[in-house]
Amino acid sequence: MKKCTIGLFSKIITFLVFAVFFIPLTGICFYITFLYPHATQEERLLFLAGVPMFGGLVAFAIYRTFYLGLVWVEYDMENVIFHYSRKEGYRFRWAEIPGNRMQVERAGGGYVFYIQENGRQRKIPLNRLSKGYKDFEKTLEQTGVLYRIGVKTQEEFKRDAERVFEQYQKYREAHPGSTPPKPEGDCMICPDCQGKGLLLKKLPLLKVDVGKVCKTCGSSGYLPK
């Protein structure tokens, strides 16, 4: 089965946060509480609270990483297994997602899977920084998960943009100069579309202009004075 796991970059950033911030804070709190000879009673009590607080985070991180393991996903074209830890995994058929036990939402550059089991919720986040994410997202599309949760893939966005662009090209061919002929009577150029009848917008990824009908003038390009 294929795998999608937490990426190396995310692991490095998390390790640096603990190595630079939480571990030194734990050492400072411990030193001032028990070893620093000039600390007052109030200072010792204050830093004593930091020992279990920061030390507990460090201990949990070590326990989670080396004993339980980090979240990962195994899958093929029929089934998917969400591993919350080495001791806790949840198997689903792709056709069951989303469902009563599993919900999915788009979150930034990835997806978050919410698993409901025995009155508790487990959250499995996967994003572009995850190792094997591209194949995993492709499988989400092929198995119909993205369609069922109403998410368009980049290819679908591209096809929609190309379809709109083709419609605009046909309009320009039918209306040379993209400026509709001026209607009879006293009228003025539409201030929103500048007489083009279309509102143009450049797509940053495709680097093409797409247009939609101007609602102010109804695509005529002109308004009565």
Side-chain angles (χ1 to χ4, degrees):
M1 299 180 76
K2 295 182 179 180
K3 290 185 178 182
C4 184
T5 63
I6 294 178
L8 180 61
F9 180 77
S10 298
K11 292 178 180 178
I12 291 175
I13 293 298
T14 303
F15 173 79
L16 289 177
V17 169
F18 277 89
V20 175
F21 187 70
F22 290 110
I23 294 178
L25 280 177
T26 303
I28 292 172
C29 291
F30 183 87
Y31 174 75
I32 294 178
T33 301
F34 300 105
L35 302 176
Y36 186 59
H38 303 294
T40 64
Q41 186 66 22
E42 291 78 9
E43 289 174 335
R44 293 184 189 279
L45 291 175
L46 177 63
F47 283 94
L48 178 62
V51 174
M53 182 171 64
F54 297 116
L57 288 174
V58 174
F60 176 77
I62 295 173
Y63 173 76
R64 175 72 194 188
T65 302
F66 296 102
Y67 182 73
L68 291 181
L70 303 177
V71 298
W72 81 96
V73 174
E74 290 183 287
Y75 64 95
D76 54 25
M77 294 304 297
E78 298 294 331
N79 303 284
V80 57
I81 306 173
F82 294 90
H83 295 275
Y84 187 74
S85 69
R86 293 191 179 98
K87 297 184 176 182
E88 190 175 340
Y90 303 91
R91 177 185 290 269
F92 294 89
R93 295 182 61 83
W94 287 115
E96 299 174 327
I97 305 174
N100 294 331
R101 295 174 55 212
M102 165 70 76
Q103 294 296 320
V104 190
E105 70 176 13
R106 187 70 179 266
Y111 304 89
V112 179
F113 298 84
Y114 298 94
I115 302 171
Q116 305 290 340
E117 190 77 14
N118 299 325
R120 63 186 178 186
Q121 183 184 82
R122 295 304 195 193
K123 183 168 70 172
I124 310 290
L126 297 169
N127 54 48
R128 291 189 178 94
L129 298 178
S130 301
K131 184 179 178 180
Y133 175 79
K134 288 185 178 180
D135 286 339
F136 180 71
E137 186 178 39
K138 185 177 180 181
T139 303
L140 290 178
E141 179 184 5
Q142 293 174 341
T143 55
V145 174
L146 297 187
Y147 175 79
R148 290 193 291 272
I149 65 176
V151 172
K152 287 187 177 181
T153 64
Q154 186 173 351
E155 289 299 320
E156 289 175 322
F157 274 116
K158 184 177 180 180
R159 287 196 295 266
D160 291 346
E162 290 175 345
R163 188 159 47 246
V164 173
F165 183 68
E166 289 175 0
Q167 294 174 352
Y168 174 63
Q169 289 290 74
K170 292 179 181 179
Y171 178 87
R172 292 190 64 180
E173 293 174 1
H175 303 80
S178 298
T179 302
K182 185 177 181 179
E184 296 182 359
D186 194 10
C187 58
M188 64 178 183
I189 294 178
C190 175
D192 291 341
C193 66
Q194 299 300 316
K196 297 182 182 297
L198 290 176
L199 299 176
L200 300 180
K201 183 178 181 181
K202 184 178 289 295
L203 294 180
L205 295 177
L206 302 178
K207 296 182 179 180
V208 296
D209 290 331
V210 296
K212 63 179 180 179
V213 173
C214 177
K215 295 182 180 180
T216 303
C217 62
S219 79
S220 69
Y222 297 90
L223 292 174
K225 288 186 177 178

